[in-house]
Amino acid sequence: MRRRILQATLLAVAVTTVVLGLPLGFTALKLVQDLTGADLSTRAQQIATLLDEQVANQRPIDLNAVRLAVPRGARLVVRTQSHDYVYGPDPGEAPLVQMVPMVQSGSVTIAAPSAPVRTQQLQVAGLVLMLVVLSAGTGMIVASVTARRLADPLRHVASRAARLGAGDFRPDPQRHEVPELDRVADALDASGAALSQLVQRERELVGDVSHQLRSRLTALHLRLEALAAVEDADVAEEARAALEQAERLSAVLDDLLAAATAARARDAEPLDVTSLLTQVADEWREPLRAQGRALRFKVADELLARATPARLREAIGVLLDNALRHGEGPVALTARHGGGTVLIEVSDSGSGVPDALVPHVFERGFSGHGSTGVGLALARALVEADGGRLELSQARPAMFEVFLRVARADDVLGLPWKPEPTPR
């Protein structure tokens, strides 16, 4: 996009330079010649007037009286009925000639050398060329700046749209002072918020439906197992058949939930969690130190999980920001292997989460500290988008735990990924 904008602008500058530069150069050259011719004509007219006065007073023609009016290097030729008078050197080849008639039956001709005029024309042509080059250079600079100013926001908006399509619903506060692009950015933020709420409601619905179905299937299994143990052979046979169908239904439910989890985490990739958390910790040490607080960092080596770097970085950043704003004392960021997952913990030493807020801490728009109530809901959505889980494991002091799936060897080799149930 930037190249196209730059090419279009430079083409416009080039066309403008040619359209204006050529006529301007031709006009400048013609103007120099015309001014020189007009000066010679004026001088010739003055000489003719002086010589007419001499003839009218019946005095002989004296060219010494008019020599000051003859340009340097030019030749003056005065023709009368009786005699021709010549003053000055030979002007050379292709001189500039101006002839003026005299009242007393004669003419005055001035022939000036063309070399000084050509020199002036070259100087003017060089000046015009310099102006054209300066204009073209200025146009190139303006084109480059304009292309960058338009292309960078377009790339940023395109990247924002791509992140939104990948499941990254966090708002982007950056604006570019281009009204049309800023309106697009506002629309993307609004769409991200709406999609985040929609996905959150969908996941909550799937979780509730899954829980209810599993509970009912468990109860059904128990009842059918009891019926299968009765003495009546027909009843027992029907109970065993029904039990088999219930088991198939349970397997279908597991497959559907696994497919939904795999679809959510399709963008996740094997990620070096140790390296990413080290970078995040480096970013947050200074903000914590500015408030007189420390960051306790303890991360196991070679932690490899399935996650999206941008999502995980943003989610951990939300948890650290929450600890910075609402917590007290040092903030702890730890990570280790735990029960088939990579477990990341963020905690502080503050008063924790009030009991009334605990059931709603991840709900969008719900906050007990005067904030927007978006951060924790967004963090959970980002973690769940990679097939992970974010929980409040301890209310006082607050401790949040992020569960990520461990990346296996087939993940690293690029083999198809088959989701496994996240340990709870």
Side-chain angles (χ1 to χ4, degrees):
M1 177 60 72
R2 178 180 176 182
R3 181 180 298 177
R4 292 182 180 179
I5 296 174
L6 185 60
Q7 288 176 349
T9 308
L10 290 179
L11 179 60
V13 171
V15 171
T16 304
T17 301
V18 172
V19 171
L20 295 181
L22 292 180
L24 180 61
F26 178 78
T27 302
L29 296 179
K30 192 71 170 61
L31 180 62
V32 171
Q33 185 172 352
D34 292 344
L35 289 176
T36 303
D39 179 64
L40 292 179
S41 178
T42 301
R43 291 173 179 268
Q45 187 65 49
Q46 293 175 348
I47 294 173
T49 302
L50 292 175
L51 295 178
D52 281 333
E53 290 179 356
Q54 292 179 1
V55 174
N57 294 328
Q58 296 181 353
R59 289 183 298 171
I61 292 178
D62 183 9
L63 296 183
N64 291 325
V66 298
R67 62 182 180 178
L68 294 178
V70 179
R72 179 180 297 180
R75 169 172 289 185
L76 173 64
V77 178
V78 179
R79 288 186 173 88
T80 63
Q81 293 180 350
S82 59
H83 189 69
D84 291 343
Y85 301 90
V86 177
Y87 172 80
D90 184 5
E93 297 181 357
L96 299 178
V97 179
Q98 288 292 331
M99 186 185 69
V100 175
M102 296 174 57
V103 176
Q104 303 297 330
S105 299
S107 65
V108 174
T109 301
I110 296 180
S114 59
V117 177
R118 300 291 179 260
T119 301
Q120 291 182 2
Q121 287 180 326
L122 289 176
Q123 293 174 348
V124 172
L127 179 61
V128 171
L129 180 60
M130 184 177 64
L131 291 176
V132 169
V133 172
L134 180 61
S135 301
T138 304
M140 292 178 63
I141 295 174
V142 173
S144 179
V145 172
T146 303
R148 185 183 300 110
R149 188 172 184 271
L150 292 178
D152 289 348
L154 287 174
R155 280 198 298 266
H156 181 265
V157 171
S159 175
R160 173 74 181 97
R163 295 199 307 269
L164 182 61
D168 185 355
F169 304 128
R170 66 184 187 272
D172 190 343
Q174 184 174 352
R175 294 297 182 266
H176 307 283
E177 298 182 358
V178 179
E180 292 77 6
L181 293 179
D182 289 346
R183 284 197 294 269
V184 173
D186 293 338
L188 289 175
D189 284 347
S191 299
L195 288 174
S196 176
Q197 294 177 358
L198 179 62
V199 171
Q200 185 175 0
R201 287 196 296 267
E202 177 187 356
R203 290 169 181 166
E204 292 174 352
L205 177 62
V206 171
D208 293 341
V209 171
S210 172
H211 176 73
Q212 293 298 325
L213 287 177
R214 290 185 183 278
S215 299
R216 299 300 181 267
L217 284 174
T218 301
L220 181 60
H221 273 85
L222 295 175
R223 295 295 297 273
L224 291 175
E225 288 174 355
L227 289 175
V230 300
E231 297 179 357
D232 190 331
D234 294 337
V235 174
E237 182 66 24
E238 291 296 329
R240 283 191 292 272
L243 184 61
E244 182 180 352
Q245 293 297 323
E247 291 175 351
R248 290 180 180 177
L249 180 59
S250 179
V252 170
L253 177 61
D254 290 338
D255 290 342
L256 291 176
L257 293 176
T261 302
R264 287 203 308 267
R266 67 183 183 274
D267 295 327
E269 59 187 30
L271 174 65
D272 184 355
V273 177
T274 303
S275 176
L276 185 139
L277 292 182
T278 302
Q279 297 174 11
V280 172
D282 293 339
E283 294 175 0
W284 282 91
R285 279 195 177 91
E286 187 59 34
L288 287 167
R289 187 181 295 113
Q291 294 193 7
R293 302 170 64 183
L295 177 64
R296 296 175 179 173
F297 181 69
K298 184 179 180 182
V299 176
D301 296 331
E302 299 181 355
L303 291 177
L304 196 63
R306 286 190 61 88
T308 304
R311 292 174 182 169
L312 182 58
R313 180 188 295 272
E314 181 66 19
I316 301 302
V318 168
L319 298 179
L320 291 173
D321 182 69
N322 185 74
L324 176 64
R325 292 174 180 269
H326 308 305
E328 298 176 0
V331 177
L333 173 61
T334 63
R336 65 181 186 277
H337 285 289
T341 65
V342 172
L343 175 61
I344 304 173
E345 295 178 343
V346 179
S347 61
D348 61 77
S349 304
S351 58
V353 182
D355 294 337
L357 185 60
V358 170
H360 311 285
V361 69
F362 293 109
E363 293 181 7
R364 180 177 289 270
F366 194 92
S367 174
H369 299 280
S371 60
T372 60
V374 175
L376 291 177
L378 174 62
R380 169 173 274 189
L382 292 173
V383 172
E384 291 182 349
D386 287 334
R389 184 162 50 90
L390 172 60
E391 300 290 346
L392 175 64
S393 61
Q394 179 178 300
R396 296 184 181 178
M399 177 183 290
F400 292 91
E401 293 182 339
V402 177
F403 298 88
L404 299 175
R405 301 179 184 278
V406 175
R408 303 188 302 274
D410 53 358
D411 297 327
V412 179
L413 295 175
L415 300 178
W417 174 60
K418 297 180 180 180
E420 300 175 355
T422 304
R424 292 184 176 271

